[in-house]
Amino acid sequence: MVTAQDIFTIASKKEFQKITLKVFRHQYDNNTVYRDFCSFLKKDKQNVKSVIEIPFLPIQFFKSHDVISSKDAIQETFTSSGTTGMVTSRHLITDLYYYEQSFRQAFSQFYGNIEDYAVLALLPSYLEREGSSLIYMVEDLIEGSNNPESGFYLNNYDELIDKLVKLDESGQNVLLIGVTYALLDLIEKRNFNLKNTIIMETGGMKGRRKEMIREELHDELCKGFGVNKIHSEYGMTELLSQAYSLGDGIFDCPRWMDILIRDTEDALSYIDYGKTGGINVIDLANYNSCSFIATQDLGKKYPNQSFEVLGRFDNSDIRGCNLMVY
């Protein structure tokens, strides 16, 4: 039995590996979709003895199956964004405590106390639909900031511009978290020279603008907002944890999350640091669903355990998580 406390108090790589193997055995026993997938690969609890031997479930299974490792009632269903007629992913959540602990502690790990910030959220395409895990997280961060100036913005750009300038000039630490196309819309209306504001993009052109490579996008956003770095969040419906980039597109994981890079020619093999491959994610916060996800993202991992996201496999759906195709 692994508890939430076990997961969110991981303090070393050895401890991470030990708990990861325990989570694998729990999900093998309790998740029929995952167990069937493991059996197809001739993997079971007896012959998986290290983290790199654990099978990673293709992320597409969240579109076609109920990926769940608990018999408890469903508290929330998070769904992915998609165009009309597209089959979207469903992440069935039986215990929201895991999600709340994950994003609260990860934010604290990378940014400190949420009460030190005013949180402004420019997420129109997410606000306009149901079931967004990003909206759930940002709502909680806004509430946790205990700042009356924090809040969501839909298409009221002029009001947001006034609030952003006023707060920044007052010396208030501000976090502006926005979907990519909306941040670009904002700087077309006004150029800023922000001194106390973090700009965090969550990815996503949503078909509103042409895709841009990350360097081009971040350069444009830096100039428009008058900041030195653009921060990013790497998250998706199928994960209850997020990795963060404090600039230059280099991401780091919270302590209960890790990235492995698989060979694009052999999905069961892994490649060396600095080489491009498919991103596999271990997310122990997914205790009640599946913690071992083979994404459709391409990336590189570096010796200091940071990683970079480079694009998508060609046959992947266009979706809302943090990706700009190269």
Side-chain angles (χ1 to χ4, degrees), residues 15-39:
E15 193 177 357
F16 177 87
Q17 292 173 337
K18 179 181 176 181
I19 292 176
T20 295
L21 286 168
K22 286 184 177 181
V23 170
F24 163 72
R25 291 190 283 270
H26 164 77
Q27 294 180 345
Y28 182 90
D29 285 339
N30 293 281
N31 186 326
T32 55
V33 171
Y34 183 56
R35 184 169 61 250
D36 289 347
F37 177 73
C38 290
S39 298

Side-chain angles (χ1 to χ4, degrees), residues 170-182:
S170 75
Q172 168 70 56
N173 292 326
V174 179
L175 171 65
L176 172 59
I177 181 167
V179 64
T180 304
Y181 79 83

Side-chain angles (χ1 to χ4, degrees), residues 108-175:
S108 177
Q109 179 179 333
F110 291 103
Y111 293 99
N113 191 335
I114 185 61
E115 292 187 355
D116 293 337
Y117 296 86
V119 181
L120 307 180
L122 183 58
L123 301 166
S125 48
Y126 292 91
L127 280 174
E128 293 163 339
R129 69 177 184 86
E130 297 291 325
S132 167
S133 57
L134 178 62
I135 293 297
Y136 188 98
M137 177 181 80
V138 175
E139 277 183 336
D140 188 89
L141 293 177
I142 286 172
E143 185 176 340
S145 73
N146 287 322
N147 191 315
E149 304 290 355
S150 295
F152 282 101
Y153 292 82
L154 189 56
N155 297 308
N156 44 339
Y157 289 166
D158 291 337
E159 183 182 343
L160 173 57
I161 288 168
D162 291 343
K163 177 68 65 71
L164 188 54
V165 170
K166 172 188 165 189
L167 289 173
D168 189 85
E169 288 181 347
S170 75
Q172 168 70 56
N173 292 326
V174 179
L175 171 65

Side-chain angles (χ1 to χ4, degrees), residues 199-297:
I199 307 298
M200 181 185 294
E201 54 94 3
T202 67
M205 291 300 190
K206 306 293 184 186
R208 313 283 182 103
R209 288 173 172 266
K210 70 177 179 69
E211 295 292 334
M212 302 167 66
I213 64 169
R214 179 185 52 77
E215 288 91 344
E216 180 187 5
L217 170 66
H218 283 202
D219 184 59
E220 194 164 326
L221 291 174
C222 281
K223 289 177 181 175
F225 286 107
V227 297
N228 294 324
K229 300 284 186 183
I230 300 298
H231 294 220
S232 305
E233 179 247 10
Y234 179 74
M236 57 191 75
T237 301
E238 299 85 356
L239 303 178
L240 292 186
S241 298
Q242 302 79 31
Y244 288 100
S245 167
L246 307 190
D248 302 318
I250 304 298
F251 290 88
D252 289 289
C253 295
R255 295 177 296 273
W256 51 90
M257 179 184 182
D258 198 12
I259 300 293
L260 290 78
I261 305 296
R262 67 182 185 271
D263 192 325
T264 56
E265 302 298 325
D266 178 5
L268 302 181
S269 298
Y270 295 101
I271 60 176
D272 294 337
Y273 291 128
K275 293 186 176 180
T276 300
I279 294 178
N280 284 2
V281 179
I282 300 174
D283 181 5
L284 299 183
N286 274 20
Y287 183 72
N288 293 309
S289 54
C290 183
S291 292
F292 312 101
I293 307 297
T295 76
Q296 294 174 321
D297 301 336

